[in-house]
Amino acid sequence: DELALEPTPAVAAAAPGRGTHMDTVLRRFGEPSQRLAAVGGNLPQHPPITRWIYPDYTVYFERELVIASIPNRVVAQPADKP
């Protein structure tokens, strides 16, 4: 999987908005398919960044607040040769 750089309007409208708290994301959107461990956080200028992966988008948190929701883009796999 790859991440699209520009959100599409349909997914952006259905994904958590910037500033939304983790607890609110869980209540509104349910459990993510995958929760990735936080990275950073070792210095005040490097806060912990966490990713939650949902089927259509990935949510990025700084500490406990959403900083971005980015649509997932699946790259087509080449077909098997006969």
Side-chain angles (χ1 to χ4, degrees), residues 1-4 11 52-60 70-74:
D1 291 352
E2 290 185 8
L3 297 178
V11 172
W52 288 3
I53 301 174
Y54 286 88
D56 295 327
Y57 50 86
T58 298
V59 182
Y60 292 82
I70 307 295
N72 299 332
R73 181 176 52 177
V74 177

Side-chain angles (χ1 to χ4, degrees), residues 15-19 50 57-62 65-70:
R18 184 176 179 91
T50 306
Y57 50 86
T58 298
V59 182
Y60 292 82
F61 295 92
E62 181 178 305
L65 299 177
V66 173
I67 55 173
S69 295
I70 307 295

Side-chain angles (χ1 to χ4, degrees), residues 13-17 20 24-32 54 57:
T20 305
T24 304
V25 173
L26 278 176
R27 280 196 310 275
R28 290 186 186 164
F29 299 93
E31 189 66 34
Y54 286 88
Y57 50 86

